């Protein structure tokens, strides 16, 4: 809504019923420009014509709520389209990489600093799935208990957002797999 349309809307809100000429005088504009503003406001559902040259405001609570919900829905539709386009571009890029250099799809990380940076980067970008191949040695010295508050908090945040977290670990025996399967919905497999 333009500043002028808003000033006309505020003038309509101030009176129970308003004549175009009074609104034009209040807004400091001509009747034609004020009439155009009133028609735009009517199109938004904020005012309605109640007689020849007479206008009244629709309850701002209901009119603005409806307008906000409509705009929110329009914005969500636009964002959904952008996300779809982004996903399509990403799929196209990955397919091109796979054809030209299949090895580029795998990233090998070496060194504590490099791994820490990559983990932080991935933590910020995870939205739906986090699937890992996990193989020791780990960042902590072997034989030392591993506990990282940041890692625990990040994992909790992912779970609360509904991120599917899965990992493939080497050397996990049948008993451990059975325990893990029993903890999932549907029980042991």
């Amino acid at each position: 809504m333009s500043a002028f349309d808003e000033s006309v809307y505020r003038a309509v809100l101030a009176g129970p019923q308003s004549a175009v000429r009074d609104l034009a005088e209040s807004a400091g504009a001509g009747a034609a420009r004020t009439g155009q503003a009133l028609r735009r406001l009517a199109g938004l559902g904020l005012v309605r014509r109640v007689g020849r040259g007479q206008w009244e405001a629709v309850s701002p609570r209901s009119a603005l709520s409806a307008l906000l919900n409509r705009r929110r829905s329009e914005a969500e539709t636009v964002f959904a389209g952008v996300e779809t386009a982004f996903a399509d571009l990403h799929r196209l890029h990955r397919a091109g990489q796979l054809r030209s250099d299949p090895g580029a799809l795998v990233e090998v990380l070496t060194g504590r600093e490099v791994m820490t940076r990559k983990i932080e980067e991935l933590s910020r970008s995870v939205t739906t799935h986090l699937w890992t191949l996990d193989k020791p040695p780990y960042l902590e010295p072997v034989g030392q208990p591993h506990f990282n508050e940041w890692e625990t908090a990040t994992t909790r945040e992912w779970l609360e957002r509904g991120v599917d977290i899965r990992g493939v670990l080497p050397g996990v025996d049948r008993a451990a797999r059975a325990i893990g399967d029993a903890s999932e919905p549907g029980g042991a497999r």
Side-chain angles (χ1 to χ4, degrees):
M1 177 184 310
S2 72
F4 179 73
D5 288 3
E6 182 180 346
S7 69
V8 172
Y9 180 55
R10 288 179 178 275
V12 175
L13 286 170
Q17 286 191 1
S18 304
V20 173
R21 70 177 180 278
D22 296 334
L23 293 170
E25 186 177 308
S26 174
R33 183 174 181 209
T34 304
Q36 291 171 346
L38 287 165
R39 285 188 289 282
R40 285 190 296 271
L41 293 169
L44 294 172
L46 299 174
V47 299
R48 65 178 153 245
R49 186 187 310 253
V50 292
R52 186 176 167 101
Q54 295 288 314
W55 295 82
E56 72 179 3
V58 175
S59 164
R61 181 176 304 270
S62 61
L64 291 173
S65 292
L67 183 58
L68 177 64
N69 288 331
R70 187 168 72 211
R71 293 293 191 247
R72 184 177 290 132
S73 177
E74 291 168 358
E76 288 171 357
T77 300
V78 169
F79 279 114
V82 169
E83 287 175 342
T84 299
F86 174 75
D88 289 344
L89 292 172
H90 180 67
R91 276 192 293 277
L92 183 62
H93 178 254
R94 287 187 59 84
Q97 277 187 317
L98 185 57
R99 279 191 298 278
S100 65
D101 184 11
L105 296 177
V106 175
E107 185 175 0
V108 177
L109 304 174
T110 304
R112 183 182 188 104
E113 286 182 35
V114 171
M115 291 175 72
T116 300
R117 275 196 311 271
K118 182 52 95 173
I119 289 169
E120 289 173 359
E121 176 186 320
L122 290 172
S123 295
R124 289 188 300 272
S125 66
V126 170
T127 56
T128 59
H129 297 81
L130 177 67
W131 297 348
T132 63
L133 299 173
D134 193 352
K135 183 176 186 273
Y138 299 108
L139 296 177
E140 299 296 322
V142 176
Q144 298 291 322
H146 175 74
F147 180 76
N148 181 320
E149 290 180 19
W150 176 83
E151 180 181 323
T152 302
T154 301
T155 303
R156 239 186 230 117
E157 177 190 333
W158 290 336
L159 292 172
E160 289 169 359
R161 288 190 336 222
V163 173
D164 179 27
I165 303 171
R166 299 179 188 206
V168 175
L169 304 167
V172 177
D173 62 20
R174 284 185 92 103
R177 278 195 303 264
I179 291 169
D181 289 343
S183 68
E184 291 184 10
R189 296 183 174 96

